Amino acid sequence: MPRSAAVDGFRLVYDHTGAGAPVVLLHGWPGDRTDYRDVVPLLAGTCRVVVPDLRGFGASDRHAPDDARPYSATAQARGVLGLIGELGLERPVLAGYDIGSRIAQAVARDHPERVGALVVSPPLPGIGGRILAPSAQREFWYQPFHQLPLAGQLLDGNPTAMRAYLHHFWSHWSGPRFTLARAALDHLVSVYGAPGAFTASTAWYRAGAGAVAASLTEKPPAREARIPVPTTVLWPEHDPLFPRAWSDRLDDHFRDVVLEPVDGVGHFVPVEAPERFAEAILRRTMRD
């Protein structure tokens, strides 16, 4: 497996296939680069596709578990930008869901000249204080839990407990017709169940990068400060974390955004609807 040069002391393991328009795919929690196993073959015929494990995830480096700052969205974005520069990717389409979506947005916000387009699914800005509604907080319990040392004490290095924990999210957050394949769950248990792996994955939340913290601190920027990169948002029908009604303020945060509903699926859009995810990326490579 190729590894990137170190950025902030972290090297990223990544898959690299195909030739043509550059595309970078960013995974979510609780996943890794294999989230895109069904998307990559749909792109590789016409695109140069790079799929990293984010820092602290999968086979990529994880360091300093007591210091969450290197795992924030801004810090993760530095690692992604380093990989883009190292591979000589010229203004790639940057695509992601879950934490990968936040990281893609951070890259596009801070370095729009380095990105050709975004294709993302929730979370997106514009949620604001709605995330404190009782119905929302029933879903976001895991984010404050991940900030407690107790989370690691109960789950880190315990594959049996991790299997139950991962199965909960992959079944509860997905759409009504989706079941994660046993082999895919086995893989994620092997990745997240290793000593230190779960604790590293939750550093994102300890760094204050989770959806609750981000939504409560966001403010609609002035038009000139909105993300200028052309953006496609794929909003699923059955995401219990991010109801489709929360898509109403995208224009307050993006200058050029297209909203596309994805019916029948839940939170894991590239896993549950790989064809729709790939189609949106291909449209952006042809347009941009």
Side-chain angles (χ1 to χ4, degrees), residues 120-240:
V120 291
S121 59
L124 276 302
I127 298 169
R130 291 180 288 189
I131 206 163
L132 293 180
S135 59
Q137 285 301 296
R138 282 194 294 270
E139 300 294 340
F140 283 100
W141 60 269
Y142 68 97
Q143 295 197 5
F145 175 60
H146 284 176
Q147 298 182 47
L148 299 176
L150 177 64
Q153 293 167 14
L154 293 174
L155 295 167
D156 197 274
N158 185 338
T160 300
M162 280 309 307
R163 178 176 294 275
Y165 199 63
L166 293 171
H167 181 265
H168 165 77
F169 293 108
W170 278 91
S171 57
H172 179 59
W173 288 355
S174 58
R177 295 191 297 273
F178 178 82
T179 301
L180 185 66
R182 182 181 180 88
L185 180 59
D186 289 344
H187 167 75
L188 291 175
V189 171
S190 72
V191 170
Y192 280 80
F198 171 73
T199 299
S201 81
T202 59
W204 169 266
Y205 303 98
R206 297 195 304 279
V212 175
S215 297
L216 292 180
T217 57
E218 71 181 19
K219 295 180 180 179
R223 179 168 178 77
E224 62 272 13
R226 297 173 194 172
I227 292 176
V229 173
T231 300
T232 298
V233 172
L234 301 174
W235 208 294
E237 180 181 11
H238 297 293
D239 189 339

Side-chain angles (χ1 to χ4, degrees), residues 10-124:
F10 292 84
R11 301 179 69 191
L12 303 183
V13 164
Y14 61 93
D15 294 329
H16 188 187
T17 189
V23 175
V24 179
L25 306 175
L26 303 180
H27 67 79
W29 186 96
D32 68 357
R33 70 186 191 281
T34 64
D35 290 350
Y36 292 99
R37 58 189 167 271
D38 294 326
V39 175
V40 171
L42 301 173
L43 300 175
T46 57
C47 299
R48 181 184 179 191
V49 187
V50 177
V51 194
D53 280 335
L54 296 165
R55 61 172 66 170
F57 291 86
S60 291
D61 287 348
R62 53 180 184 263
H63 305 307
D66 295 329
D67 183 1
R69 290 173 297 178
Y71 299 94
S72 69
T74 300
Q76 291 275 11
R78 289 197 298 271
V80 173
L81 281 166
L83 181 60
I84 289 172
E86 179 180 345
L87 296 179
L89 304 180
E90 195 168 330
R91 300 185 71 243
V93 173
L94 201 53
Y97 84 101
D98 194 81
I99 69 170
S101 175
R102 289 280 193 200
I103 295 165
Q105 293 168 53
V107 174
R109 181 187 63 243
D110 296 338
H111 296 277
E113 75 286 355
R114 303 283 299 276
V115 183
L118 292 179
V119 175
V120 291
S121 59
L124 276 302

